[in-house]
Amino acid sequence: MTIFQAKGKITVANDKTNLIHRFDVPEGIKALKITYSYSPKTLDDREKAVAVISKCFEKYDERIITRPADYLPVKNLITLSVDCNGEYRGAAHRQDNEQVHIISEDKASPGFIKGRVDALEWDIMLNVHSISCDVDYQILVEGEEK
C-alpha cells in the first residue's frame, strides 16, 4: 500500500541544505519500502561544469589546480536519511541516484536500523550535498501490511 509520495525540484539555491518530508505510518504496517530517485545525476553542460569546478578551485590552494576539465563530470549528490518520531533510523549516503531501501523488524537495508515500523510520524530528509543544476526528485514510501 502507498503510504507517502512526493516529487519536486531542487535548485542550486538549495545546495548544502536539508529538505524534510513528513508522513504518518498507519497501524498494521510491518515493513517500509522507500524508493527514491533524482535526475540528472550529472551537469551535462560542459561550459557550466568547467565554470563550477573553476569556482571551487578558488576556495583552495592554487598549487593544486591543474585543468578544471580534468575533474569532469560534475555530479549532483542528494542522499537521504530516515527518522521515526524524532529517532534516527538510518541513512543512505550513496552516490546512486536511484535507490530502494527496506526497513522492517526482521531486516533493513545497509545503513538503516531494523526494528518495528511504528504507527507514528516519520521523516525522510533529503541531504543536498552538491547541486550544480536543477534536479527533479521522487520519493515513494510503500507499506507491507502485517
Side-chain angles (χ1 to χ4, degrees), residues 5-31:
Q5 293 183 67
K7 60 182 174 178
K9 185 175 293 292
I10 298 174
T11 69
V12 293
N14 302 116
D15 192 39
K16 312 274 184 293
T17 64
N18 296 308
L19 305 173
I20 297 174
H21 291 279
R22 290 198 164 96
F23 58 96
D24 292 318
V25 171
E27 292 285 342
I29 301 297
K30 70 176 184 177

Side-chain angles (χ1 to χ4, degrees), residues 44-120:
D44 293 330
D45 182 319
R46 182 181 172 83
E47 186 177 318
K48 286 182 182 178
V50 168
V52 167
I53 295 166
S54 296
K55 187 174 180 179
C56 289
F57 281 162
E58 294 172 10
K59 296 179 183 179
Y60 301 101
D61 187 337
E62 291 183 18
R63 291 175 288 173
I64 68 166
I65 298 174
T66 57
R67 291 175 350 122
D70 291 343
Y71 293 87
L72 294 173
V74 171
K75 296 180 182 178
N76 294 310
L77 179 60
I78 308 165
T79 63
L80 67 82
S81 57
V82 177
D83 294 345
C84 172
N85 204 33
E87 184 177 320
Y88 180 78
R89 288 299 295 266
H93 287 186
R94 298 170 181 57
Q95 289 287 331
D96 294 340
N97 62 319
E98 295 183 5
Q99 303 177 22
V100 177
H101 305 288
I102 304 294
I103 298 175
S104 75
E105 193 164 6
D106 299 328
K107 65 179 180 177
S109 298
F112 293 91
I113 300 166
K114 67 181 180 179
R116 285 193 348 231
V117 177
D118 294 322
L120 297 167

